[in-house]
Amino acid sequence: MGGVYSSEKMAEVFSYESSEVDWCEDNYKHSEHVVEYFNTMSSFSFFVISPIMLYLLHPYAKERNLAIHLIWTMMIFVGLFSAYFHMTLSFVGQMLDELSILWVLAAGYAFWFPRRHYPSFIKDRSTFSSLVLVVTVISTVSSFVKPTANAYILNCFGLHLAYVVVVEMRCCTDQKVLRLGKLSVALWVLAISCWVSDRFGCSFWQRLNFCYLHGIWHILIVIAVAYASTLIAYLDASYEIPYSLPGLQYWPCDKWAVGLPHIVLKGTTKTQKRC
Ligand SMILES: CCCCCCCC/C=C\CCCCCCCC(=O)N[C@@H](CO)[C@H](O)/C=C/CCCCCCCCCCCCC
Ligand SMILES: [Ca+2]
Ligand SMILES: [Zn+2]
C-alpha cells in the first residue's frame, strides 16, 4: 500500500503543472505538449551562447585552470533544465532549473570570487572553495523546504555580483574594462526588470497581449552572464596570471558595437613567469 502511495507521489512531481510557479505566458497556446512555448524556446539561447563562450574562454582557461570550463558547460545544463521546466511546469523541472543555477553560481564564486573580497578569516582560495561547497550542499537540501522562495534567493546572488562589479569598477581607469562593467550591470538591470515585471505585473502585460517578458529575461540574462563572467575572469587574470598580459576583445569583430567579450593573452606561458 505504502509503496503504491509513494510511487504515485513520485510520479506527481514529474507531472505537467505540478510546480507552484506559473509564468505570465499563456499555457498551451502553441502546442498541447509544451506548456509555455516562448519561454521554452528562449531557453535555447543558452545552447547558442555557451559553446561560443567555451571556445572564447579557452586560451585563458588553458593558462589559468581548465576546470574553469565547468561554468559554461554547466550553463548548457541550465538551458536544458530551463527548457524542460517551461515545457512541463513540473516540480522536478523547477528544482532542476533552480538547483543548476545554484551550482553554476557556486562554481563561479569558487573559481573567480576576488581574494580581496574574502571574509577576513579566509586566507586562500581552497578554503574559500570548500566553504562555498558546504554552503551549496546545505542550500541544495534546504531548497526543498520552501521552493517558491528559491528564485528570490538566487536573484540576491545576482544583486551581490552586480555590487562586486560596481566596487571593482570604482578604481578602474581602463576604458574598455569600464565599458564592459557598465554593459554587464545595464544588461542585468534590464534582465531583472523583465523577470520582476513578468512575476508581479502579469495582469498589465496580459491587457497589452504581451506575455513574453520571462522569455526575454532568458535571452538577456545569458548575455549578461557572458559579459559579467568575462569581466570577472579578466580581473582574475590580471591579478593571478599578470605575466600573461590579459586584454579584452569582442567576438566576432572587435570594431563592432555589439559582440561577445573575451580575453586575449598578449604575454606567453607560465614558463616565462619563472624567468
Ligand atoms: C565571482 C562569481 C562569478 C560568477 C559568474 C557568473 C556565473 C553564472 C551564474 C548564474 C547563471 C544564471 C543563469 C540564469 C538562468 C535562468 C533560468 C531561469 O529563468 N530560471 C527561472 C525559472 O525559469 C528562475 O525563476 C530564475 C531565478 C533567478 C536566477 C538568478 C540568477 C542570478 C544571475 C546572476 C547574473 C549575474 C549578472 C551580472 C551582474 C552584473
Ligand atoms: Ca504560464
Ligand atoms: Zn525561465
Side-chain angles (χ1 to χ4, degrees), residues 119 121-122 125-138:
F121 62 91
I122 289 177
R125 189 164 294 277
S126 73
T127 316
F128 180 74
S129 303
S130 310
L131 181 71
V132 169
L133 182 67
V134 171
V135 171
T136 311
V137 170
I138 296 171

Side-chain angles (χ1 to χ4, degrees), residues 82 86 97 214 218:
S82 170
H86 291 291
D97 175 300
H214 187 81
H218 285 159

